[in-house]
Each structure stands twice: as C-alpha cells, then as structure tokens.
Amino acid sequence: MTTQNTPYTSPSEIKQIHANLVKGFKSGITRPLSYRRHQLLQLARLVQENIPALEDAVLADLGKQRQECTLAELGPIVQACLYAAENLEEWAKPKKPQVEEFRKTWDVTIYSVPKGVVLIISPWNFPYILTLGPLVGAIAAGCPAVLKPSESTPTCSAFMAALIAKYLDPAAYTVVLGAVEESTTLLELQWNHIFFTGGTSIGRKIAAAAGKNLTPLTLELGGMNPAIIDTDCDLELAAKRLLFGQIQNAGQLCVAPDYVLIPRSIATLFKDAVKKAYEGFFPSDPLHPESNWSKIVNVAHFNRLESLLARTRGEIILGGKVDENLRIAPTVVTNVKLDDPLMEEEIFGPILPIIEVENTEEAVQIVGDRPSPLVVYVFTDSEDLKQKFLDRTNSGTLVLNDTFMQLSVYEMPFGGHGDSGYGAYLGKRSFDTFTHERSYINIPAAMEPFFGYRYLPYTDESYKVMTAQAFAEIPEA
C-alpha cells in the first residue's frame, strides 16, 4: 500500500495532466461504449481486488471499522460499476421524442454525448465512495476525469492515486494529490463539469470559481438534518435506527441526523429508549484503549467539537468524554434550545442534541423555517404527517422510519436542495450528470411549400399561417 509520504502534484504537472486529458478527449478515446464498459469493470476490479488494503488505509486515516468501510463505501462502488456497465447501452442510445405531426419527418433526435473533461473534488469523511462514486458516472458518460481527493486522508488518497494509475487508462483518468494550493490551480483551468462534495463555505468558493468559466457544477453539500419523532412510532426502534445513523464514521457524514425534535409528552420515554440503544451498541466504554471506535479526522475538527460540548447549555446524558487519540464518545444532549451553540451549523461529529417541542406541528414549522437540509428524517406511521413534511418543508430527501439507508437506493437521485447543494447522482442520474443532451433535426426539402410563408415579403396570409399557435384556443381551467 502506498505510504502517506507521496508528494503533492506540482502546478506544472497539473496543467500538463489537464492538457493531456483534453487531448485524449478530443481524440475520441473515451467515446466508444466498449471502452467505457471496460473501464467500469476495471474500476470494479480495482476495488474488489484490494478490499483489505483499502480497509487498512481508511483505518489508518479515520479509525473506521472494516465493516463500515466495505458496507458503506466499497460494496456500493462495485455495485455502481456493474449496474452502469449493464445499462450503458440503454442509457446512451439516441432518444426519439414525441413531436407534433407536421414535424415527424424531421428525424428529431436527442443524443447523449459526454460533456468533456471533468473535475471531481471529494472530501475526507467517505474517501472512496465520494471520489469513485462520481467517477462511475463520468466513465459511463464518456468523460475523462481528474480526481482531487482530500489531503486530510493522505493514506487513502495516495493509495487511490496508485490504484487508478494501475487499473484505469492514464490517458483519461488520473489523481491529483494536494491541498488548497493544488485545488486553486485546478480551479483556474477550464473544465466541462465540476463535481464537488464538501462543506457549504468551500462550496460557495467552488461555485464562484466555476462561474468565472461558466462551468456546469454539481454541489453535494450538507446542512443540519433534523429527525422528528412522532407519538405513534415504536420509540425503541426509532432510537436504535436514529443512533445507528448518527454514529456512522463517528458522526462525520453529511446525512447524519444533526438534531431531534420530539413532543414533550414522549420525551422521557424516548430518552430511555436512546439509553437502551446506546448500551446495546456500546456495552463497554467506546473510548476504551481496545475499542475500535472511529476517531475525528484531525485536531482542528476535534477542537471544534470539544468546544461545542463545552459551550452547549444543554444537559449531556450520554457520552461527553474525549481522549488523546482524537476520539469523542457518542454523546446525547437534552434540554437543547434552538439558539444553543449545537444548533449553529452542521455538527459533523458524534453529538446528538434533543429538542423538545409541543407537538409535531411545531416540528414542521421549525424545519420549514430553517435552510433546506440534505435530508429530513421522520419517524411516524402517519400519512398526514408525511404529507405535511412534503408540502411545507424542503430537503434533498425525505426519509421515513430509518436513517442513512437512502444512500443504498441507487434507483433514485441523491442530492441537495438550496443550501444543501444542487445537482444529483446515483444510478442513471450519475450518467446524466456528466452527459449533454445534444438535440438534432434534419429538415427535408418537402417542407418548403409551408416554409414559403416565413420568407420576406410578409403578407396578411403569411401572418395568419405562421402565427397560428399564438391564437390557439385556451380551455377553461
């Protein structure tokens, strides 16, 4: 496995990489479906043939457990490659839309063509799936790609760079290693699409850089994801599923529940249910030296989370401890108010605030008044409450009665809304993200008798014929 000492990519190398990929794209090497399918299967082999080493790398960088790594990252990449390879011909074939009768001889066609050379910038928290997941879409669409993984997970990033060079065509796919300076150099270049996953503040900078070159952009951001507990749900099941979603990767994931809204009438029962689930997940101290509890990625993030625990005005009922290995015990905080420090921004750590409300109607109002999160979780059997959240709130996804598992449903798009980003991917939507729908028509000479009315000089008759659509009958509502 490649070590953490792999040097960063120099600015001159970055520019040469970009030039080489542009040249390769213009040569047409990535366009044949047979080429794309081969590269997709190679990416699946890259993962499948290196699972233990990939697990070792993420264990070194994040302390992430092997099952979490392969369940949430490596397995979905293999599946995405196989799914794209199987469906590639169907996705890429020209489409014939329904048209009005008089245009049926025009051979109206929509061609799915690759956008061109793309840039994928990924974060540290799920280094494989958030880097190689979008790459599946780029490969399927026929786009060469530069990958820029995070410098905060150096072992994973260097290992991916080595594997990409070994398994994929270097004329079309490569990894740039580096930090802010290298990212800045990349963003100064002309791309045909940029795919960014990360925080909102950096996302705004990426959007500004993309705007200078009018570059199409996908932003997969985050936000504060609420979880609402209804009085009709199974509290013990809700607590177990909620806690499961919150502790994945020590809470360092964009779809983690950031806070709970619960009616006061069941708050005490729910706290008891959370304690029971906690004891089931952690029969011994999660910070025990032999525990495999994940660590916080670096000192800066650790200090930020420790500061939140120090500043909160709520009551810590579970966890709250930290250790010298950058680990924070899963922590549950009650009696939290909406203006608490824990509610200032996305927590991105193993801390779960519980906020009591009068009823679910107040919860709907709170969620609707806040910026759109990536996901809203609601634990309920009420169709009426589900409809209220659909009608009166917004989010990238609405999930009932579980957490985290929406990421496994590749048949529907995953993405944000408003402050949580724009654009989406997974399944065919990944292909669509990197594809331009190029429209085509061929006007036959037989249309010329009708087209005679469009030419100068205009007459009353030509006006009547050529403007008939504007005077179409409008039905009653």
Side-chain angles (χ1 to χ4, degrees):
M1 182 173 63
T2 306
T3 68
Q4 296 186 19
N5 298 321
T6 304
Y8 285 176
T9 311
S10 71
S12 61
E13 289 175 311
I14 290 172
K15 293 174 184 177
Q16 188 60 55
I17 287 169
H18 178 264
N20 290 343
L21 265 59
V22 170
K23 181 179 178 180
F25 178 69
K26 289 182 177 180
S27 76
I29 60 170
T30 61
R31 286 181 176 267
L33 297 188
S34 58
Y35 173 93
R36 303 184 205 180
R37 187 173 188 275
H38 176 69
Q39 296 300 312
L40 287 167
L41 297 180
Q42 280 295 100
L43 182 56
R45 293 185 182 99
L46 179 158
V47 172
Q48 197 172 78
E49 294 174 4
N50 296 279
I51 287 176
L54 289 164
E55 292 174 342
D56 287 342
V58 83
L59 183 65
D61 284 337
L62 295 172
K64 186 183 292 188
Q65 298 182 43
R66 294 183 182 276
Q67 180 172 316
E68 285 189 20
C69 173
T70 300
L71 170 67
E73 300 207 65
L74 305 183
I77 295 168
V78 173
Q79 178 278 319
C81 291
L82 298 179
Y83 182 71
E86 180 182 355
N87 291 280
L88 188 56
E89 289 192 12
E90 178 66 26
W91 293 349
K93 72 180 182 181
K95 303 175 185 66
K96 293 286 189 179
Q98 291 291 326
V99 297
E100 291 184 85
E101 185 66 31
F102 80 95
R103 289 197 291 270
K104 286 189 175 179
T105 61
W106 295 12
D107 192 23
V108 179
T109 309
I110 301 170
Y111 291 95
S112 296
V113 301
K115 287 183 176 179
V117 181
V118 304
L119 172 63
I120 298 170
I121 303 176
S122 53
W124 49 264
N125 57 322
F126 282 77
Y128 302 136
I129 187 66
L130 297 180
T131 305
L132 304 181
L135 178 61
V136 172
I139 294 174
C143 295
V146 169
L147 310 180
K148 168 54 183 73
S150 174
E151 69 278 13
S152 295
T153 45
T155 313
C156 294
S157 296
F159 194 34
M160 279 191 286
L163 292 176
I164 292 289
K166 177 181 177 181
Y167 282 83
L168 300 187
D169 183 357
Y173 312 105
T174 191
V175 174
V176 166
L177 297 175
V180 175
E181 180 180 351
E182 291 72 23
S183 295
T184 302
T185 300
L186 286 166
L187 291 170
E188 291 171 350
L189 301 172
Q190 177 70 61
W191 304 95
N192 298 105
H193 193 97
I194 297 174
F195 192 109
F196 171 78
T197 304
T200 301
S201 60
I202 299 177
R204 295 183 191 277
K205 296 177 182 178
I206 300 290
K212 292 180 181 179
N213 290 319
L214 298 179
T215 303
L217 177 66
T218 300
L219 289 179
E220 295 291 345
L221 307 178
M224 295 203 68
N225 306 311
I228 295 84
I229 311 297
D230 195 7
T231 54
D232 70 352
C233 74
D234 181 330
L235 292 181
E236 288 195 0
L237 182 60
K240 181 167 65 173
R241 292 184 170 187
L242 182 63
L243 191 61
F244 166 79
Q246 214 290 321
I247 63 175
Q248 295 302 300
N249 199 33
Q252 299 169 109
L253 70 163
C254 58
V255 296
D258 282 276
Y259 63 102
V260 177
L261 297 173
I262 185 165
R264 289 188 180 88
S265 61
I266 58 171
T268 299
L269 292 174
F270 179 70
K271 294 172 193 176
D272 291 340
V274 171
K275 291 177 181 177
K276 181 177 180 179
Y278 192 101
E279 291 168 357
F281 289 164
F282 304 102
S284 59
D285 183 2
L287 299 188
H288 187 276
E290 296 183 3
S291 168
N292 51 13
W293 176 240
S294 299
K295 66 180 179 180
I296 305 305
V297 65
N298 57 38
V299 173
H301 283 283
F302 178 84
N303 290 341
R304 179 183 61 84
L305 293 168
E306 193 174 28
S307 172
L308 285 175
L309 290 177
R311 292 187 294 120
T312 181
R313 297 184 292 275
E315 176 189 356
I316 297 175
I317 62 169
L318 291 167
K321 296 179 180 180
V322 303
D323 69 13
E324 67 279 4
N325 297 315
L326 302 185
R327 298 192 302 174
I328 297 177
T331 300
V332 179
V333 187
T334 63
N335 298 326
V336 175
K337 307 300 180 184
L338 289 173
D339 62 352
D340 193 88
L342 290 174
M343 298 297 292
E344 291 174 354
E345 61 180 357
E346 185 178 10
I347 293 175
F348 226 69
I351 304 170
L352 183 65
I354 297 177
I355 300 173
E356 296 182 19
V357 294
E358 283 300 319
N359 46 46
T360 54
E361 177 64 28
E362 185 182 355
V364 172
Q365 184 69 39
I366 290 171
V367 175
D369 287 344
R370 296 175 67 87
S372 297
L374 195 54
V375 57
V376 171
Y377 297 113
V378 185
F379 289 84
T380 184
D381 292 323
S382 168
E383 185 67 24
D384 179 62
L385 184 59
K386 165 195 164 184
Q387 198 61 44
K388 285 182 179 179
F389 275 96
L390 283 172
D391 293 342
R392 294 167 53 190
T393 71
N394 225 321
S395 62
T397 308
L398 174 65
V399 175
L400 261 62
N401 298 315
D402 204 356
T403 59
F404 187 67
M405 295 308 295
Q406 69 272 20
L407 299 177
S408 68
V409 188
Y410 56 84
E411 295 89 349
M412 68 179 186
F414 171 76
H417 176 82
D419 286 43
S420 54
Y422 50 78
Y425 71 122
L426 292 188
K428 184 178 183 295
R429 190 59 64 93
S430 296
F431 172 86
D432 294 340
T433 291
F434 296 102
T435 297
H436 168 60
E437 290 192 323
R438 190 176 188 184
S439 302
Y440 162 87
I441 57 174
N442 181 5
I443 313 298
M447 290 299 301
E448 196 59 21
F450 173 76
F451 281 172
Y453 290 109
R454 70 182 181 174
Y455 302 127
L456 294 172
Y458 300 142
T459 65
D460 289 345
E461 184 180 6
S462 70
Y463 180 88
K464 181 178 180 180
V465 172
M466 300 305 290
T467 64
Q469 286 183 322
F471 300 97
E473 182 178 353
I474 301 174
E476 296 295 327

